[in-house]
Amino acid sequence: MALLETRDLTIKFGGLLAVSKLNLKVNGGEIHSLIGPNGAGKTTVFNAITRVINPTSGDVVFDDENLLKHQPHQTVKIGISRTFQNLEIFKLMSVMDNFLVGYHSRLKTNWFNEGIKTPGFKRIERNAEKEAREIASFLGMENRLNSFAGMLPYGLQKMVEIGRALMSKPKIILLDEPAAGLNNAETKELKKIIFKIKEKGITILIVEHDMSLVMDISENITVMNFGKKIAEGNPEKIKNNKDVIEAYLGESKYA
């Protein structure tokens, strides 16, 4: 059953057609990859799902809710979290504080309780910090919580962004090129983390150019080119699709 669905999603920027009538279904509990050449419209789809941009037409449905009725800040509250193509972390804040930012959408308090640090608010803080330590352990970063995020190796900075996304307890996490800039060892570690996220019952939609990673982790793959869906299916079907080979994969070991 589809947890996330786009229906005839169309996005135009002036005279540029960035996404054209995209129908995408992401089933609950799966790892689904969205691939294609640069400029195919993949990140634009992410931005529409998270309400950063408004579609020209079409619908985006998540867990039977029309996302177009929600503001961007509300999407995280209903269970959608994401990372970014260009790393977006608070480099001068600690890893702990970066994680706590991800908890903010779950806070049930007010300025008065925060201002005078009521017992109830202190309890919320303790719970948030406890969850941050659990996420750090999950990511193998328990010894990095007090480090400035911007001082970490690039691969760990990527983990900080994933950890912040996980702190909101999402139903689905959108990973935008998580392997970009990683070496082979870091990519292998990322692969393990992605599978561990799936084991937590979180659905994953991933945009990625590392085809070895995509083919290893994906249950379903949607391929875009020039804003349109040109193929969809399991990895075996995709790597043998002539249109995909011509538009993106090329004559490689995947063909």
Side-chain angles (χ1 to χ4, degrees):
M1 182 177 177
L3 175 66
L4 173 68
E5 185 175 359
T6 68
R7 301 171 181 169
D8 289 331
L9 182 67
T10 299
I11 302 167
K12 295 180 180 178
F13 299 111
L16 175 65
L17 182 62
V19 178
S20 177
K21 295 184 177 180
L22 177 67
N23 291 298
L24 169 69
K25 288 185 178 182
V26 181
N27 297 320
E30 76 171 353
I31 300 174
H32 192 123
S33 290
L34 183 61
I35 68 171
N38 288 329
K42 306 180 298 296
T43 294
T44 302
V45 172
F46 271 24
N47 288 340
I49 292 169
T50 53
R51 305 296 294 114
V52 175
I53 60 176
N54 290 315
T56 305
S57 62
D59 289 306
V60 182
V61 178
F62 176 72
D63 205 12
D64 293 326
E65 282 197 63
N66 184 352
L67 284 180
L68 302 188
K69 295 181 179 179
H70 293 273
Q71 297 298 315
H73 70 276
Q74 294 173 318
T75 59
V76 67
K77 290 185 177 182
I78 62 175
I80 301 173
S81 191
R82 72 173 292 182
T83 64
F84 294 86
Q85 185 176 9
N86 297 315
L87 188 64
E88 297 287 349
I89 61 173
F90 299 98
K91 294 187 176 182
L92 297 181
M93 289 167 53
S94 69
V95 172
M96 169 66 86
D97 286 341
N98 270 270
F99 286 177
L100 293 177
V101 169
Y103 191 89
H104 187 266
S105 63
R106 298 166 53 200
L107 288 177
K108 295 180 180 179
T109 184
N110 55 50
W111 64 267
F112 178 80
N113 290 335
E114 293 179 30
I116 67 171
K117 300 283 187 180
T118 62
F121 182 73
K122 289 180 179 179
R123 184 169 58 252
I124 290 172
E125 281 189 318
R126 288 194 298 271
N127 289 339
E129 290 173 358
K130 177 177 180 290
E131 289 196 27
R133 287 190 288 272
E134 290 172 353
I135 292 294
S137 178
F138 177 79
L139 297 172
M141 298 186 66
E142 54 266 53
N143 296 324
R144 300 284 193 164
L145 279 170
N146 294 321
S147 301
F148 287 113
M151 299 297 290
L152 297 176
Y154 187 73
L156 290 181
Q157 290 187 39
K158 289 267 190 173
M159 292 298 108
V160 171
E161 192 172 39
I162 291 174
R164 183 181 63 199
L166 291 173
M167 283 291 290
S168 67
K169 286 195 175 299
K171 297 176 183 176
I172 187 170
I173 185 169
L174 280 54
L175 302 177
D176 198 348
E177 298 192 26
L182 302 187
N183 60 36
N184 289 337
E186 290 168 337
T187 300
K188 287 180 181 179
E189 185 60 30
L190 172 65
K191 178 181 173 181
K192 293 177 184 177
I193 293 297
I194 290 173
F195 280 130
K196 286 171 65 177
I197 292 172
K198 174 182 162 62
E199 288 171 2
K200 290 170 73 73
I202 299 172
T203 304
I204 301 165
L205 178 60
I206 180 172
V207 166
E208 185 51 64
H209 286 291
D210 186 327
M211 287 300 100
S212 293
L213 179 63
V214 167
M215 295 298 172
D216 283 348
I217 67 173
S218 305
E219 290 155 270
N220 281 298
I221 301 172
T222 299
V223 189
M224 295 181 67
N225 192 30
F226 295 113
K228 296 181 179 180
K229 180 170 72 174
I230 62 170
E232 193 167 63
N234 61 39
E236 188 68 24
K237 180 179 177 180
I238 292 301
K239 69 184 180 182
N240 291 298
N241 184 291
K242 292 182 180 180
D243 292 334
V244 177
I245 293 169
E246 181 180 345
Y248 187 49
L249 295 182
E251 295 296 335
S252 70
K253 62 181 179 179
Y254 304 109

